[in-house]
Amino acid sequence: MPNKEGGYGGYRRQDRRSAARKVRAPGAEGGVRRGVQPPPAQPYHQTPYTPRMDGNGVRPARYDPDALEEDWVPADRYTAPRPQQDPPPPPRRPRSEAERARRLRQRRRARRRGLLLATVVGILAVSGVITLLLPESATVPAGEQATAETAALAARLVAPLPYSGGSGEDTALPALDWGSVGPVRQDETRTYTALPAAPDAVPEFGRVTTEWFADAVFLGDSLTVGYSDYGINVGGARILGYEGVSPNTFVNRTVVKNANDEDEVPLDVLAGLQPKKLYLMVGTNALVVEGNDEGFLNYYARLLDELGAMLPDCMIFVQSVLPVRPEALADAPGLASARLESINASLRAMCAEKGCYYLDVASAFRGEDGALLAEYAQPDGIHLTVSGYTAWVDYLCTHVPYDKNNPYQPGSAWYLDAGLKDLIADIP
């Protein structure tokens, strides 16, 4: 605009925004200066415009009044760029039943291994504590212990016995180790002795229920007959009891009367049954007369040989000969306590040689004087009462070789419930 002097020299240059404010709206008085754009309906600071994003996706930090109009867009048309997202994961392949079962078995095995490892660590820790608490005198030097074991091994490895079919002289075969032969394997003509496959006598270990005897057979003389006469519960075991029999009766396959007064050969019946466990008690009838120890032991050993060959998968338990009352010695002088203890010691050694289990049942019936306890004896001083058979079964239930699958009585220290048995099923 011209100044007061009529010229344009006094015109002060203004910025674009100030010039826009001095231009009148279209149609107003005075018109519009040429070359000047009309302003928007509202000032820029009142228009809901939002700055565009630059090339790097960054919006200006504040409003710039010098920015050109084309750098602004209405706010309702502005859309912020979407953040980049990872591509969706591929769909999971459904697992088959076999794969799920395999994974479940793997987890179970891992838990069982962990339980077994924890048990072993606990046992080692307890053993270490016991070793620390033991006095120094109770610790045997390793060299002396090895010497004692070697001496015991030499004492056990003996030549075949004469009764086994050979003369026992220079032609006898050398003794074999059960490590290559097996605890009850024999050949057809000879029996070999070696280290015992089990302790000399089965110790007390937990308590099983009578289910343990479900696959067992009791073989013996009139003392065994009492199980049938009194209806003693032995878990369904088969009772093969015969009155008046001795080891030679079985070995010679003599025909005898059974409980039903029928004739049968005991070993033939036993071979047909093929039990998993055999409880043998015989000897009282053969020992009534004195002075026959060697013949009795030879027949007893031959009986164990035949049983081992006939029942290769059977656990054979040899029960000691029971003591008698002092009044019975008048008619049976051979049943004196000292003699029976000597016979039982020989049977114990015989079981150790042949891999059978020895049960010292006599210890549960013997008093301080070595005789049969009166509370267990019949009037004849030899046979047992019902309470005697109850004590007998109680002894057998508490003297069983340990196995995790044994039917231990609930509450016993070694009882395993069904869940724990399933947990350790694949652990040897």
Side-chain angles (χ1 to χ4, degrees), residues 36 38 71 81 99 124 130 159 190 219 242 312 318 347 350 352 355 360 362 372 375:
V36 180
D71 292 335
E99 185 177 359
L124 293 177
I130 294 176
R190 294 185 182 276
L219 177 65
Y242 309 94
V318 175
L347 294 180
M350 188 183 300
D360 188 16
L372 178 64
E375 58 185 298

Side-chain angles (χ1 to χ4, degrees), residues 399-413:
H399 291 74
V400 171
Y402 172 75
D403 188 276
K404 68 176 184 294
N405 296 319
N406 287 348
Y408 288 104
Q409 182 175 339
S412 173

Side-chain angles (χ1 to χ4, degrees), residues 19-320:
R21 289 178 178 172
K22 295 180 180 181
V23 178
R24 298 180 180 178
E29 182 181 357
V32 178
R33 182 183 293 273
R34 291 182 180 180
V36 180
Q37 296 292 335
Q42 297 179 7
Y44 281 108
H45 67 278
Q46 296 180 2
T47 305
Y49 277 73
T50 304
R52 293 178 179 173
M53 309 294 288
D54 61 9
N56 297 324
V58 179
R59 189 171 57 183
R62 60 185 181 84
Y63 169 72
D64 184 4
D66 295 330
L68 298 178
E69 181 180 357
E70 55 268 18
D71 292 335
W72 296 80
V73 295
D76 56 353
R77 288 171 23 195
Y78 170 72
T79 303
R82 296 183 179 179
Q84 296 183 356
Q85 298 181 354
D86 296 334
R92 294 182 59 183
R93 179 175 57 86
R95 296 177 182 173
S96 62
E97 292 294 335
E99 185 177 359
R100 285 197 293 268
R102 180 180 62 80
R103 289 177 177 269
L104 182 59
R105 287 194 300 269
Q106 289 177 348
R107 288 195 293 267
R108 287 179 177 174
R109 291 194 186 99
R111 288 196 298 267
R112 292 167 184 166
R113 292 191 190 100
L115 178 61
L116 179 60
L117 180 60
T119 304
V120 172
V121 172
I123 293 175
L124 293 177
V126 173
S127 301
V129 173
I130 294 176
T131 303
L132 293 175
L133 295 178
L134 285 176
E136 296 182 359
S137 59
T139 305
V140 180
E144 297 180 9
Q145 185 175 3
T147 303
E149 292 176 355
T150 303
L153 174 63
R156 294 291 187 188
L157 295 175
V158 298
L161 300 177
Y163 68 80
S164 58
S167 62
E169 298 177 355
D170 296 338
T171 58
L173 296 176
L176 298 181
D177 190 345
W178 289 134
S180 59
V181 178
V184 293
R185 279 197 211 162
Q186 326 286 337
D187 59 26
E188 295 181 357
T189 58
R190 294 185 182 276
T191 299
Y192 299 96
T193 59
L195 286 172
D200 288 348
V202 179
E204 183 175 356
F205 199 94
R207 176 183 290 273
V208 298
T209 64
T210 53
E211 296 177 8
W212 164 264
F213 306 105
D215 54 359
V217 168
F218 283 66
L219 177 65
D221 49 27
S222 57
L223 289 171
T224 303
V225 174
Y227 278 99
S228 299
D229 290 345
Y230 294 115
I232 304 301
N233 177 25
V234 281
R238 181 71 178 271
I239 306 299
L240 298 182
Y242 309 94
E243 295 183 357
V245 298
S246 297
N248 59 305
T249 307
F250 298 139
V251 172
N252 296 330
R253 297 183 179 274
T254 304
V255 178
V256 294
K257 297 285 187 181
N258 61 18
N260 297 324
D261 202 26
E262 299 172 345
D263 293 337
E264 64 186 26
V265 177
L267 292 191
D268 291 345
V269 177
L270 191 61
L273 294 175
Q274 287 294 314
K276 296 299 181 182
K277 309 177 188 77
L278 175 65
Y279 285 86
L280 174 65
M281 178 180 283
V282 64
T284 302
N285 295 309
L287 297 174
V288 170
V289 181
E290 296 178 322
N292 193 28
D293 294 5
E294 184 177 357
F296 170 79
L297 293 175
N298 284 345
Y299 267 113
Y300 210 116
R302 291 179 61 185
L303 174 60
L304 293 183
D305 292 343
E306 293 200 25
L307 292 174
M310 184 173 60
L311 306 172
D313 300 323
C314 181
M315 302 172 64
I316 300 177
F317 295 88
V318 175
Q319 303 173 87
S320 58

